[in-house]
Amino acid sequence: AIARAVVTGPAVLFADEPTGNLDTARSREVMALLRRLNDERGITLVVVTHEADVAAWARRTVRFVDGVVESDRPNLEPVRC
């Protein structure tokens, strides 16, 4: 699915629960791949997740509660590959 999404060279990639139903090791692989796409190709990623481990990879997190933005802040120490 990720290959299909990036084959056309998008500027933005939207990922809804990209690690859903994956074990921890595969989740880290997917997040590392997404980070490389951002770093190497400049693709902006918008990732929706309920998992704190996945959100920890983000450079910025926006938290919604009942459809309203509760917080919008930079992550000064995102997980690195």
Side-chain angles (χ1 to χ4, degrees), residues 2 23-34 36 57:
I2 294 172
D23 61 34
T24 303
R26 298 301 80 78
S27 293
R28 289 186 62 79
E29 288 176 3
V30 167
M31 292 310 298
L33 171 61
L34 293 175
R36 282 193 311 274
W57 286 78

Side-chain angles (χ1 to χ4, degrees), residues 59-73:
R59 291 186 179 105
R60 175 181 172 193
T61 59
V62 180
R63 179 175 161 80
F64 289 84
V65 176
D66 297 328
V68 177
V69 174
E70 179 187 74
S71 63
D72 179 352
R73 66 183 81 151

Side-chain angles (χ1 to χ4, degrees), residues 30-64:
V30 167
M31 292 310 298
L33 171 61
L34 293 175
R35 170 58 58 80
R36 282 193 311 274
L37 289 171
N38 175 254
D39 290 343
E40 296 170 9
R41 297 186 183 195
I43 298 173
T44 298
L45 298 168
V46 178
V47 177
V48 176
T49 186
H50 292 89
E51 299 177 41
D53 292 352
V54 172
W57 286 78
R59 291 186 179 105
R60 175 181 172 193
T61 59
V62 180
R63 179 175 161 80
F64 289 84

Side-chain angles (χ1 to χ4, degrees), residues 4-20:
R4 275 194 312 267
V6 300
V7 72
T8 60
V12 180
L13 179 65
F14 294 90
D16 184 7
E17 300 285 356
T19 62

